[in-house]
Amino acid sequence: MFSKTIVDSDAFLDMPLSTQALYFHLSMRADDDGFLNNTKRIQRLIGATDDDLKLLVMKRFVIPFEDGVVVIKHWRMNNYIRKDRYTQTVYREEFAMLSVKEDGSYALEETSGIPDGNQCVTVGIPDGNQLATQVRVGKDRIGKVSIESSINTACPEPEEPAPDREQVISLTLNDRSEFWIYGDQVEQWSQLFPAVDVLQELRKMKSWLDSNPSRRKTKRGILRFVNSWLSREQDKGKLNYRTKAPQISEVDSW
């Protein structure tokens, strides 16, 4: 099932038809928790490209994991599965890395480090006719998910960039270190967000992070922050373009 709140939104309809089709096909093949591990095969099957998948990630319609598994972010908003028909996902470690927002959408948890005995991620699935299971990380073990597996998988650090990449601008992290943005990343974002002056927005991000030290991001979460910022600016740019009144020249006024 698909929620009109999602598929009728401007953010969804502004994407190319090939990207929208990939979203539908991924959703049709996902398990009862919204996970799947064969995105490449589905891309080839329907003629979609890597850029279609990247755009779904950038626009926050799917959440990727390092092992190639993806989850449909708004799965719980799209689908309501009866308790007697529900089968829990086999991707328990990835599932333990998610939290559920009040609107039912998934969110990948950010952490600044490995916890010392406290829970790293909590995922709660409501009872009733919705997805009927619950995973909590802590002393309880439900579905064989424990705090040890969460600690080992929930907080991976991104790989270090190649040394020959062109450094463009740095963003300050919560540990006061600098995270460099590179020229190839700026070029890619410029293609994905054509209504945005990416370099200017990166300057704004740097200024905002410098002015809000308590809200700086982790090394693992900074790129998600950048993508979210650019996605919002892209939506604003398209809205301004649509609502901008036509200019009437003096000649036309005569």
Side-chain angles (χ1 to χ4, degrees):
M1 294 181 288
F2 299 92
S3 169
K4 288 185 178 180
T5 302
I6 305 303
V7 300
D8 278 355
S9 65
D10 286 342
F12 186 85
L13 295 176
D14 281 344
M15 295 189 299
L17 291 179
S18 59
T19 308
Q20 296 180 35
L22 179 59
Y23 178 80
F24 286 124
H25 279 272
L26 293 177
S27 299
M28 290 296 294
R29 290 164 173 81
D31 65 20
D32 286 356
D33 286 310
F35 288 82
L36 68 164
N37 71 342
N38 58 343
T39 56
K40 295 291 185 182
R41 180 175 182 275
I42 296 172
Q43 286 176 229
R44 291 193 297 268
L45 184 66
I46 69 172
T49 67
D50 288 340
D51 287 340
D52 290 316
L53 181 60
K54 289 177 182 177
L55 186 54
L56 287 176
V57 174
M58 295 287 188
K59 299 285 282 185
R60 294 168 290 166
F61 286 103
V62 301
I63 299 174
F65 297 91
E66 291 185 348
D67 57 1
V69 173
V70 303
V71 64
I72 309 300
K73 177 178 175 66
H74 304 100
W75 178 260
R76 290 163 47 88
M77 298 174 65
N78 289 334
N79 295 275
Y80 297 91
I81 301 176
R82 281 172 38 182
K83 184 176 182 179
D84 59 340
R85 296 183 179 179
Y86 167 75
T87 302
Q88 187 179 22
T89 182
V90 299
Y91 304 108
R92 305 289 180 83
E93 293 182 351
E94 290 83 0
F95 188 49
M97 296 165 63
L98 300 173
S99 63
V100 179
K101 297 182 178 180
E102 292 183 1
D103 62 5
S105 63
Y106 286 132
L108 191 62
E109 281 292 323
E110 290 186 27
T111 60
S112 58
I114 296 177
D116 50 353
N118 295 319
Q119 60 197 46
C120 186
V121 182
T122 299
V123 179
I125 308 294
D127 296 327
N129 291 328
Q130 299 183 13
L131 300 179
T133 187
Q134 187 173 19
V135 175
R136 284 193 298 269
V137 180
K139 294 182 179 179
D140 297 334
R141 290 175 58 90
I142 301 178
K144 297 182 181 179
V145 178
S146 66
I147 190 169
E148 289 80 12
S149 62
S150 178
I151 290 176
N152 291 332
T153 61
C155 312
E157 290 295 335
E159 295 182 1
E160 291 298 326
D164 57 346
R165 297 168 72 186
E166 177 191 2
Q167 294 179 333
V168 175
I169 192 172
S170 65
L171 302 176
T172 307
L173 301 178
N174 63 342
D175 61 0
R176 299 185 181 181
S177 64
E178 296 296 322
F179 184 92
W180 279 98
I181 301 297
Y182 294 85
D184 58 305
Q185 293 174 299
V186 174
E187 182 179 352
Q188 182 184 41
W189 287 326
S190 297
Q191 294 175 356
L192 291 172
F193 305 104
V196 180
D197 183 339
V198 174
L199 190 56
Q200 179 60 25
E201 293 306 318
L202 287 169
R203 296 189 186 102
K204 292 180 182 179
M205 293 178 217
K206 182 175 180 63
S207 177
W208 187 89
L209 291 169
D210 290 344
S211 301
N212 297 273
S214 64
R215 301 183 66 183
R216 291 172 184 167
K217 308 304 174 183
T218 64
K219 186 176 181 180
R220 183 173 177 272
I222 188 65
L223 289 180
R224 210 156 50 244
F225 166 75
V226 173
N227 289 330
S228 298
W229 183 300
L230 295 177
S231 180
R232 288 193 299 269
E233 292 303 315
Q234 171 75 8
D235 293 341
K236 289 180 185 178
K238 289 186 176 181
L239 180 61
N240 292 338
Y241 175 79
R242 290 173 180 171
T243 58
K244 185 177 180 181
Q247 299 296 320
I248 303 177
S249 65
E250 289 189 24
V251 175
D252 292 333
S253 65
W254 287 97

